[in-house]
Amino acid sequence: MGDAVAEARRRASGDDLASLRRLDALMVRSGFRHADRTPREWVAELVSQGRLRRGDTYGAHEALRAIGLGAVPALLEVLANPQLAEKESADANIRLNVLEALLAPSPPPRCAVPAVMGLLSRPSARVQRQAMRALVYLRPRPTRLAVKLLLEACQDKTQWQARATALDALATLDGPVPDDVLHEALKRLSDESPYVRRSALRLLGRCTPPSEAVLHALEEQVVLDDESRVVALQVLSWLSPSRALPLLDKTARGLVGLLPNDRDGARQGLFALHLLAGMGAQARPAVGLLRRVVTHAVKRGHGDPFTWRMRVHAESVADAIVRSVPLPVEARTAGPGSPPLALALAGPGPLPVDAEHPDSARLQAWVDSLGPLSQEEEVRLCVAVARVAARVWDRHGPENDGAQSALLALEEWVLAPDEAHQRKAMEIGLFVPSQLLASELFNAAWCLHYATLMVANAEKRHVGFTGLTPREPEHLLATCVFAAYRALRSGACMTVDEGWRDSTLTWKRTSDEALAFLHRAMVDEVLPWARGEWDPIGDVLRERRRLLTEE
């Protein structure tokens, strides 16, 4: 019977309630237990602790997280009960705990959408808001009932949180955006709360292809709404790069001559450069702006940390422009290459992740398959993943230039692997990321830290934290790649996000997608060099600096 339960758990689908009910019945018949309790006993424990004012629900949540989809039918039965406690506050606490348990499986069970939609009519405002947050993750289909209930929540005149969350839930509808939802988003651009306006902007980002009315509204928002300008610029750059380019150029030009204490102006200007980098070749008309920024930074000198930030971000835009199109033949420099590494990189990437082979094991096995590597080969591979990590970091806070500075230092070491460049890279990477950072930023920072350690001599590669075992210096490359992998898995993908906080218009990569993304990044950047065809680091660095200085 144990094998039957294991097979049923593998076959269970969060989109199919019938399969979950079959799994639940099989668990009941087989006497399945986790930590000496059945799934339904753990659900009962969650309910009983939720009734208490200071109930301890941690153990029940951890157990239900481990049980997974098998506990979903019992949790839905709890939500279907019209009254769970005599006091309204206790009833709300129970429902909030059940909602949290429902969202624990990854991906969350979409068969729970009807039950969650039913919570929107509960009297508790906390339950309503949490139900709408749950719908953001469950991504319901745009049925008439779902749209009607969420549009009604947008009309809440007392709580901006309810209006903003309802707009976020509408933005995640799994299907075309209905016209009445679009009209509501346009209307909410004049809401008194900046949080509601930002949610409305993210909802407009779903309108593809965008109408002229939407594009005009976004352009107006960039000009009129100081508090939401960053979000409006990002959504506009996603929907229509050609319409966004003049506004991004104007915003970034404000960096030249900016007062040192103008933090908002600095943040908006640097984020405009970040958005230009995301546009790739479409940002080429802004090359004149980049030259002006670099010239201004050179005149001010390295003593001004703000001008250095401007310069490294201008270089990141130039780098994106150069990399987005094939490099001219005359700009390519052939070299001896590394035939063994070329042969290894031309082979298959990491194998798919499964229960017996977790992500770290698959990644470690692929790195080991590359064979013995020289220090330059290791650093080149790390630069490729550090470029991904730097992009993740800049999406949330480009006013901190640490990511781009570390990447630039690594590139310069590759071209001139001397003691001065080694010291510079290690000094930039000498930090311990704060655990208060968002998960994707925390892991991106560790990736950059490990990458800078690669330029050090073997005896100086002291690794304090690693997600891989064994924790030895020779596994530093795998550790660096694994940190970038965790940044991709824990954060949202680079589509439309607010910058400085997660967006509802982003999706998270699966384990296999994240591994494939990093494998592609390393192959694209290192394989041409390994084959001796051209150097994607040195040749691109020279070409982008020519772009920034050539009149």
Side-chain angles (χ1 to χ4, degrees), residues 348-370:
L351 295 174
V353 174
D354 54 37
E356 297 180 0
H357 302 89
D359 43 19
S360 59
R362 290 302 195 195
L363 185 55
Q364 182 74 64
W366 179 77
V367 171
D368 291 343
S369 72
L370 298 179

Side-chain angles (χ1 to χ4, degrees), residues 182-501:
L182 172 61
H183 295 154
E184 182 66 25
L186 289 171
K187 185 174 73 173
R188 288 297 158 192
L189 291 180
S190 59
D191 195 279
E192 62 182 7
S193 168
Y195 298 98
V196 176
R197 298 197 297 271
R198 292 169 192 166
S199 293
L201 287 167
R202 293 195 293 265
L203 175 51
L204 290 176
R206 284 285 312 278
C207 302
T208 52
S211 64
E212 180 60 30
V214 170
L215 295 177
H216 182 68
L218 291 172
E219 289 172 331
E220 282 191 339
Q221 208 71 12
V222 172
V223 176
L224 301 176
D225 191 352
D226 293 343
E227 294 175 298
S228 304
R229 180 171 294 124
V230 166
V231 191
L233 282 170
Q234 191 161 26
V235 174
L236 185 59
S237 66
W238 169 254
L239 294 179
S240 179
S242 61
R243 300 277 285 266
L245 186 59
L247 295 169
L248 290 172
D249 187 287
K250 181 180 179 181
T251 304
R253 282 184 186 276
L255 290 170
V256 179
L258 195 70
L259 296 177
N261 59 350
D262 189 355
R263 295 177 60 88
D264 288 338
R267 186 182 69 169
Q268 292 178 11
L270 293 173
F271 199 78
L273 290 177
H274 166 72
L275 293 177
L276 287 170
M279 293 169 61
Q282 292 175 305
R284 183 169 284 274
V287 168
L289 159 70
L290 303 180
R291 291 170 182 162
R292 185 179 178 185
V293 168
V294 171
T295 302
H296 175 72
V298 171
K299 288 181 179 178
R300 294 286 294 270
H302 290 289
D304 187 341
F306 178 66
T307 56
W308 173 253
R309 295 190 189 107
M310 293 165 50
R311 181 173 182 175
V312 295
H313 282 292
E315 283 220 25
S316 73
V317 180
D319 184 86
I321 293 173
V322 172
R323 291 180 183 276
S324 59
V325 295
L327 200 66
V329 177
E330 60 272 15
R332 300 187 178 194
T333 305
S338 175
L341 180 58
L343 183 63
L345 289 176
L351 295 174
V353 174
D354 54 37
E356 297 180 0
H357 302 89
D359 43 19
S360 59
R362 290 302 195 195
L363 185 55
Q364 182 74 64
W366 179 77
V367 171
D368 291 343
S369 72
L370 298 179
L373 300 173
S374 67
Q375 186 179 22
E376 181 181 2
E377 291 169 341
E378 289 181 326
V379 173
R380 285 180 176 273
L381 290 167
C382 281
V383 167
V385 296
R387 203 178 304 281
V388 175
R391 185 68 182 167
V392 172
W393 180 274
D394 287 346
R395 197 170 72 244
H396 289 263
E399 68 268 29
N400 185 322
D401 65 289
Q404 289 296 336
S405 295
L407 183 59
L408 179 60
L410 289 170
E411 291 176 329
E412 291 177 339
W413 181 91
V414 170
L415 297 185
D418 52 33
E419 185 177 348
H421 287 99
Q422 180 192 69
R423 187 185 308 112
K424 179 180 178 181
M426 293 187 66
E427 286 176 354
I428 293 175
L430 188 62
F431 59 83
V432 176
S434 169
Q435 294 188 10
L436 298 178
L437 289 171
S439 180
E440 60 269 31
L441 297 183
F442 181 76
N443 288 293
W446 274 117
C447 172
L448 293 162
H449 171 66
Y450 296 141
T452 56
L453 282 180
M454 294 300 299
V455 305
N457 300 326
E459 64 273 10
K460 295 182 180 180
R461 296 179 182 179
H462 301 298
V463 183
F465 167 84
T466 173
L468 297 174
T469 55
R471 304 183 182 188
E472 298 173 359
E474 57 264 29
H475 293 285
L476 189 55
L477 171 60
T479 307
C480 176
V481 181
F482 190 65
Y485 162 82
R486 289 180 58 140
L488 291 176
R489 285 281 289 129
S490 56
C493 299
M494 301 169 192
T495 53
V496 179
D497 66 314
E498 184 179 340
W500 301 286
R501 70 186 64 196

Side-chain angles (χ1 to χ4, degrees), residues 523-534:
V523 169
D524 289 346
E525 183 149 332
V526 182
L527 185 57
W529 171 83
R531 286 176 171 170
E533 298 169 352
W534 61 288

